[in-house]
Amino acid sequence: MIFGVSRKDMASRSRLCFLATALVLQCTMLLLQALVHNPTGVEARVLKEKIRLCDLSNMFNGSWVYDDQSYPLYDSFVCPFISQQFDCQKNGRADTDYLKYRWQPTDCSLPRFSGEDFLEKFRGKRIMFVGDSLSLNQWQSLTCMLHAAVPQAIYNTWEAKPSNYFEFPEYDLIISMEWHQFLVDINVDESMGRVLELDSIKGSGDTWKEADLLIFDSWHWWFYKPPVQPWDYIEVGNETFTDMNRISAFAIAMGTWATWVDSNIDPSKTRVFYQGISPSHAIARDWGGPRRGNCAGYSEPFEGSQSPMPRNSGVYVMKFILNRMNNPASFLDITLLSELRPDGHPSAYTDTQQNGRDCLHWCIGGVPDTWNELLYAAIVSDKHP
C-alpha cells in the first residue's frame, strides 16, 4: 500500500487512465480525419491557413530542396519531344541529382503538378508559347510532363514555321510554340535591309488572339551583336537608328506588346503570362566564381534563398510595364529560382553544333519543369495577377 492506496487499486486506475488516454487519442484522430476530408466553416479556414497554397504573390521566394522521392517528374529517356540541344541525359551527362530538386516557397506550398488535371482544364483549348529558345525550353518540358501523365494517349506533332505544334486529339488540345524573339516586328526594306520596328505588332498578333492561354518571352536576343543580331536598323515612330541602348529598346518594345495585349486580348477568355527573365550562368564572376569559369562542373544548386548574382534589369522593366497595363499579364517571375541553379544547364552535354558550353538554356528534364509547375500553380490558384 502506497499513501493509503493498494497496489491493486493503483493497477486498476492505471488501466483506466490508459484506456481513457487511448479513447481521447482515437477521438482526436477521427476528428482530424473528418476535418481533413470534410472541412467546413472555421475548421476549413484553419486548415487553409495552415496549408497556404501558393499563388502569384508568394510562390517565387524560396529555396531548392533535395527530393529524390518525388522527382524527377518523368524519365527524359522516354520523352520523344526533347531537342538534342536540351537532352542532357542522352547527350552523356552522368549525374542525375540535378533532376531531383524541388522548389520550396518560403511561405506557402505548391500543389502537386497533375497532368491529368491540366489536360482536363484545357480540354478543347489552345495554349501558345511565344518567344525564343527559352520558350522552346518550357514548351518541350510541358509536353514531356503531359505525355508522362497519359503515356498511352495519342498525340500529333508538326511544324509550320515559325511555329511548332503538339496535339492531344483525345482532349482536343493543341499546345504550340511560335518563334518570335522580339515580340515586335522585323520588316525587310529593299533599300535598308532588316528593320526592327519597336512600335509595331501586326501580322503575328492575329494568331495570338486565337489562344486561350498565352505565355510570352523576350530578353536574350536584345543583346546580340552582329553577325548573330538579326536586324540592321531600329525604327521608333519616324526615327531610324543604327543602334541604341538595348535595355531602352527592350522597354519600348515591351510597352508596345503590353498595349497590344490590353487592346486585343479579352481577359475573360484568354489568360496571359509573361515568362520572366531566365538567367545565364556563362560568367562565373557574376556570382563570385572563378575568373574564367561558367556553369561547367556544377552539380547542385546554390544554397539558401538569396541569389548571389547581380539584379537583372529586365525584371524591373517588366514589372514596371505590367503594373501599368489595364489588364495586367501575370508575371511568372522565374529569375531567382533559376539564378540558384547553375547546375541545370546543358553545359558540355548539348548537341554537337553548339560551340563551347551552353550555360543559357536548360536541361530537360530539369528547371523548366519547375517553371511549368509554377504555371500550373498560378492557374489553379484563386487569385489572378
Side-chain angles (χ1 to χ4, degrees):
M1 183 173 294
I2 303 174
F3 300 114
V5 181
S6 68
R7 293 183 181 275
K8 183 177 181 180
D9 287 341
M10 289 184 65
S12 177
R13 292 180 185 181
S14 296
R15 284 194 296 273
L16 287 173
C17 288
F18 175 79
L19 291 172
T21 302
L23 182 61
V24 170
L25 288 172
Q26 185 175 7
C27 290
T28 302
M29 290 300 296
L30 289 172
L31 178 60
L32 286 172
Q33 289 176 8
L35 291 179
V36 170
H37 294 293
N38 189 28
T40 58
V42 174
E43 296 89 352
R45 289 195 295 273
V46 170
L47 282 173
K48 187 174 182 180
E49 188 66 25
K50 285 180 179 291
I51 295 172
R52 293 201 66 189
L53 289 178
C54 294
D55 57 50
L56 283 163
S57 70
N58 55 16
M59 66 174 68
F60 304 114
N61 293 317
S63 58
W64 290 97
V65 177
Y66 187 75
D67 182 359
D68 60 352
Q69 299 300 308
S70 304
Y71 291 81
L73 297 174
Y74 56 88
D75 183 353
S76 62
F77 279 102
V78 298
C79 180
F81 319 118
I82 306 175
S83 298
Q84 184 182 358
Q85 181 181 2
F86 311 140
D87 203 347
C88 301
Q89 290 291 299
K90 286 184 181 177
N91 290 334
R93 182 165 179 172
D95 65 304
T96 59
D97 278 354
Y98 73 95
L99 297 168
K100 301 171 184 176
Y101 283 92
R102 168 173 53 84
W103 179 248
Q104 178 56 60
T106 303
D107 297 320
C108 60
S109 297
L110 290 171
R112 177 73 175 173
F113 179 83
S114 170
E116 294 93 336
D117 180 60
F118 189 102
L119 289 166
E120 286 297 339
K121 285 183 183 300
F122 289 96
R123 182 182 287 274
K125 305 292 186 181
R126 301 293 179 265
I127 299 173
M128 181 180 292
F129 291 86
V130 183
D132 56 24
S133 51
L134 279 308
S135 286
L136 182 65
N137 246 175
Q138 188 173 4
W139 175 70
Q140 290 189 354
S141 162
L142 182 60
T143 60
C144 288
M145 294 166 75
L146 296 177
H147 174 65
V150 287
Q152 304 306 317
I154 295 172
Y155 63 85
N156 300 310
T157 62
W158 69 95
E159 180 180 1
K161 291 184 177 180
S163 297
N164 291 279
Y165 297 87
F166 180 92
E167 178 188 29
F168 278 115
E170 179 182 341
Y171 294 90
D172 188 22
L173 170 62
I174 295 177
I175 308 171
S176 63
M177 187 272 155
E178 179 181 295
W179 183 267
H180 205 307
Q181 66 267 51
F182 297 102
L183 303 184
V184 293
D185 295 334
I186 297 180
N187 287 314
V188 178
D189 183 280
E190 289 185 2
S191 59
M192 298 177 61
R194 303 164 299 176
V195 181
L196 177 61
E197 300 179 346
L198 301 185
D199 52 5
S200 174
I201 295 176
K202 293 178 181 176
S204 296
D206 293 337
T207 61
W208 303 350
K209 297 175 187 178
E210 301 170 2
D212 300 281
L213 175 64
L214 284 162
I215 306 99
F216 291 96
D217 154 58
S218 182
W219 177 245
H220 289 285
W221 276 84
W222 289 94
F223 304 97
Y224 290 144
K225 300 290 186 179
V228 180
Q229 169 187 303
W231 50 266
D232 303 302
Y233 294 92
I234 294 176
E235 184 176 278
V236 185
N238 295 321
E239 296 186 85
T240 303
F241 307 90
T242 55
D243 205 347
M244 65 186 298
N245 180 280
R246 300 303 180 88
I247 293 178
S248 298
F250 170 76
I252 295 169
M254 294 305 100
T256 301
W257 165 81
T259 300
W260 184 94
V261 171
D262 272 340
S263 302
N264 292 276
I265 297 298
D266 179 356
S268 67
K269 174 188 178 294
T270 302
R271 187 79 184 271
V272 181
F273 285 86
Y274 188 85
Q275 185 200 53
I277 308 297
S278 174
S280 167
H281 288 93
I283 303 174
R285 285 175 295 172
D286 285 348
W287 61 89
R291 180 171 171 271
R292 297 181 181 274
N294 49 39
C295 67
Y298 284 87
S299 59
E300 59 186 14
F302 293 133
E303 293 183 358
S305 57
Q306 300 294 322
S307 172
M309 301 177 69
R311 292 281 186 175
N312 191 303
S313 56
V315 175
Y316 292 107
V317 171
M318 287 312 305
K319 286 184 176 180
F320 177 80
I321 289 171
L322 294 174
N323 286 336
R324 292 169 62 89
M325 293 177 68
N326 295 325
N327 297 300
S330 299
F331 190 42
L332 203 64
D333 192 0
I334 60 171
T335 302
L336 169 64
L337 66 93
S338 304
E339 285 180 344
L340 295 173
R341 294 301 305 271
D343 58 316
H345 298 283
S347 185
Y349 304 102
T350 186
D351 64 51
T352 54
Q353 297 179 359
Q354 297 291 315
N355 294 320
R357 312 274 182 173
D358 184 354
C359 297
L360 173 63
H361 302 103
W362 302 91
C363 295
I364 301 177
V367 172
D369 301 336
T370 299
W371 300 349
N372 285 316
E373 287 185 285
L374 297 176
L375 176 65
Y376 174 74
I379 290 168
V380 302
S381 70
D382 293 331
K383 295 181 180 180
H384 249 240

